[in-house]
């Protein structure tokens, strides 16, 4: 896969460093800038990198961090134990994530990212997965995006947000 120099520079500006293992832009902000990148299962030095989808949009990262800080991940994890249908949908999201990663390069492990399939550990991973895969794949990514709908996606997302 090729990534344009413009997209690579935009992601570097968003992250404050050069992106590692970037394969493609998997989703874009409403302003057209990269919001999610797909990364290689292994970094250039051979280190396994199970985070297939990486959230790069500075504005969206800020909003997702607010949800995490409010304790949403614990509430989501608690719901997994009480709701069998939700737990099954989340397990399927894990399987989709694993299959997508292994189609690029198998790592020989069933570890994915974000705590899947037993807990919600990183909401950024789930939001990135939802944006890359589309609605209906990752229930917690979809839910987080629904909670953020009044703030994102709208406006210019390319610069870092300091609020």
């Amino acid at each position: 896969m090729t990534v344009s120099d413009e997209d690579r520079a935009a992601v570097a500006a968003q992250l404050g460093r050069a992106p590692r293992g970037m394969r493609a832009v998997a989703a874009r902000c409403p302003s057209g800038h990269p919001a999610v990148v797909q990364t290689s299962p292994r970094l250039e030095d051979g280190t396994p990198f199970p985070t297939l989808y990486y959230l790069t949009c500075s504005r969206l990262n800020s909003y997702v961090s607010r949800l995490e800080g409010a304790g949403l991940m614990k509430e989501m994890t608690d719901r997994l134990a009480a709701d069998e249908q939700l737990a099954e949908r989340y397990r399927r999201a894990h399987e989709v994530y694993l299959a997508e990663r292994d189609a690029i390069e198998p790592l020989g492990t069933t570890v994915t990212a974000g705590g899947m399939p037993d807990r919600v550990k990183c909401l950024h991973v789930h939001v990135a997965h939802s944006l890359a895969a589309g609605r209906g794949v990752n229930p917690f990514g979809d839910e987080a995006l629904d909670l953020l709908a009044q703030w994102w996606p709208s406006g210019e997302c390319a610069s870092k947000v300091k609020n």
Side-chain angles (χ1 to χ4, degrees), residues 3-22 24-25 33-37 54-58 61 157-160:
V3 177
S4 73
D5 290 341
E6 183 179 306
D7 282 340
R8 193 170 296 283
V11 171
Q14 290 169 329
L15 299 176
R17 61 170 173 75
R20 299 179 305 157
M22 185 173 157
V25 174
H33 296 92
V36 176
V37 296
Y54 196 87
L55 189 63
T56 62
C57 173
S58 303
N61 264 312
C157 303
S159 62
K160 291 193 176 193

Side-chain angles (χ1 to χ4, degrees), residues 1 13 15 20 25 42 59 80 115 127 135 144 146 160-161:
M1 297 185 136
L15 299 176
R20 299 179 305 157
V25 174
R42 290 189 192 277
R59 177 180 233 180
L80 285 173
V127 167
R135 293 193 67 83
D146 289 344
K160 291 193 176 193
V161 175

Side-chain angles (χ1 to χ4, degrees), residues 55 57-73 122-124 127 144 148 163:
L55 189 63
C57 173
S58 303
R59 177 180 233 180
L60 186 54
N61 264 312
S62 175
Y63 292 136
V64 172
S65 291
R66 290 179 189 178
L67 293 177
E68 286 186 346
L72 185 60
M73 295 179 306
C122 178
L123 204 49
H124 295 80
V127 167
L148 297 174
N163 49 352

